[in-house]
Amino acid sequence: MTDFTVKTVARLSGVSVRTLHHYDEIGLLKPARVGANGYRYYGREDLLRLQQVLFHRELGMPLAAIAALLDDPGFDRVAALRSHRDRLRQQVDRGRQLIETIDATLADLQGETKMDETKMYLGFEPETQARHEAWLTERYGGDMGDRVAQSKAGLGAMGPSAAQNMIAQGEALEAEFARALQAGAPADSEATQALARRWCDWIARAWNRAPDRAAFDGLSRLYEDHPEFRARYEARCAGLTEYLGAAMRAFAERELA
């Protein structure tokens, strides 16, 4: 049965109509048929494929890689779902552990109980941060290790509340870039370049130093090269990775020395 319109699929999945159109254009999710009126109609198999797309996006996989995987004749949907389930169970277990760590810390700070110092960091994944830092150092070499350390020192000096507020500001800026893209504003437009200026200021605070042209340009390419950054931005809005990168490079060329 192929009676799910693109608007219905968008409502069911939470994926925007624009993103569904993009998925159609790149061959990732084609509708079962297109009516004489030009409307796209999706069937149940298409909905199941979209579910797999979203699951693999959660894993940080680029769209091209997802398409290749789903189109592979050997792809096993049941096995993939079981793998997703195992991964999500691990995330649930980790989340539960982090909640317990938070509750124990609150109880300690409020004078209710004394927290064992050996349990202060249960649930955290330092290997994730270490993996990111190793990727940066290996990819860019030079003084990248020192620059990472400088950035971490700056964030550490802020204190937890200020650091969390800064993270929220960055996420809000990402959302503004996504809205600019969806509105059709060119990456080098005045409005988007104003966002790029605010992004540059935000990066300066995160890095504990102002980026120069080469550094800001290089950061834009890091976003495009690193699968986790790409997955983050594409999950927010299809095409956002390249849009943000183009805006940053235009700003670096015009405004930074």
Side-chain angles (χ1 to χ4, degrees), residues 100-111:
E100 291 177 1
T101 299
I102 289 172
D103 289 343
T105 305
L106 287 172
D108 181 282
L109 294 175
Q110 294 167 354

Side-chain angles (χ1 to χ4, degrees), residues 180-203:
L181 171 59
Q182 292 169 334
D188 61 354
S189 66
E190 182 178 349
T192 305
Q193 286 300 288
L195 288 177
R197 179 178 296 280
R198 290 167 57 195
W199 187 254
C200 184
D201 291 341
W202 183 84
I203 292 297

Side-chain angles (χ1 to χ4, degrees), residues 113-190:
T113 59
K114 177 66 175 176
M115 187 178 191
D116 184 344
E117 288 79 1
T118 64
K119 297 181 179 180
M120 283 186 178
Y121 307 104
L122 294 178
F124 290 106
E125 289 188 328
E127 64 271 16
T128 299
Q129 177 65 25
R131 186 174 69 250
H132 289 172
E133 293 174 11
W135 187 92
L136 285 169
T137 303
E138 178 181 354
R139 184 64 176 260
Y140 295 99
D143 64 346
M144 181 55 69
D146 293 337
R147 289 159 61 185
V148 168
Q150 183 180 10
S151 176
K152 290 171 67 176
L155 288 172
M158 289 182 182
S161 178
Q164 188 61 43
N165 183 57
M166 184 175 169
I167 291 171
Q169 291 173 3
E171 291 176 346
L173 271 173
E174 290 172 1
E176 289 193 56
F177 273 110
R179 286 193 291 271
L181 171 59
Q182 292 169 334
D188 61 354
S189 66
E190 182 178 349

Side-chain angles (χ1 to χ4, degrees), residues 38 41 50 85 101 176 221 245:
Y41 294 95
L50 176 58
R85 185 178 185 275
T101 299
E176 289 193 56
R221 300 182 193 282

Side-chain angles (χ1 to χ4, degrees), residues 28-242:
L28 178 60
L29 181 69
K30 306 291 291 185
R33 65 184 177 88
V34 178
N37 55 8
Y39 289 0
R40 295 169 170 85
Y41 294 95
Y42 297 82
R44 182 172 177 78
E45 279 298 309
D46 304 313
L47 299 189
L48 287 169
R49 182 179 173 97
L50 176 58
Q51 185 190 65
Q52 284 296 325
V53 169
L54 298 181
F55 274 132
H56 283 92
R57 290 294 300 278
E58 288 289 327
L59 294 172
M61 187 177 291
L63 295 180
I66 295 174
L69 175 67
L70 299 186
D71 291 337
D72 187 328
F75 175 71
D76 186 333
R77 182 180 291 160
V78 172
L81 286 170
R82 286 173 175 162
S83 176
H84 294 317
R85 185 178 185 275
D86 289 343
R87 178 176 179 273
L88 290 171
R89 181 182 293 278
Q90 292 173 1
Q91 290 180 345
V92 169
D93 291 343
R94 177 173 174 261
R96 185 181 297 113
Q97 180 62 75
L98 286 170
I99 290 173
E100 291 177 1
T101 299
I102 289 172
D103 289 343
T105 305
L106 287 172
D108 181 282
L109 294 175
Q110 294 167 354
E112 299 172 5
T113 59
K114 177 66 175 176
M115 187 178 191
D116 184 344
E117 288 79 1
T118 64
K119 297 181 179 180
M120 283 186 178
Y121 307 104
L122 294 178
F124 290 106
E125 289 188 328
E127 64 271 16
T128 299
Q129 177 65 25
R131 186 174 69 250
H132 289 172
E133 293 174 11
W135 187 92
L136 285 169
T137 303
E138 178 181 354
R139 184 64 176 260
Y140 295 99
D143 64 346
M144 181 55 69
D146 293 337
R147 289 159 61 185
V148 168
Q150 183 180 10
S151 176
K152 290 171 67 176
L155 288 172
M158 289 182 182
S161 178
Q164 188 61 43
N165 183 57
M166 184 175 169
I167 291 171
Q169 291 173 3
E171 291 176 346
L173 271 173
E174 290 172 1
E176 289 193 56
F177 273 110
R179 286 193 291 271
L181 171 59
Q182 292 169 334
D188 61 354
S189 66
E190 182 178 349
T192 305
Q193 286 300 288
L195 288 177
R197 179 178 296 280
R198 290 167 57 195
W199 187 254
C200 184
D201 291 341
W202 183 84
I203 292 297
R205 295 196 300 275
W207 284 5
N208 203 23
R209 65 180 182 85
D212 58 18
R213 178 185 297 174
F216 203 57
D217 181 287
L219 181 63
S220 75
R221 300 182 193 282
L222 183 153
Y223 292 154
E224 295 173 350
D225 291 346
H226 197 292
E228 292 185 30
F229 277 115
R230 177 172 287 278
R232 173 188 178 88
Y233 295 133
E234 293 304 303
R236 187 179 287 281
C237 178
L240 181 57
T241 313
E242 281 74 18

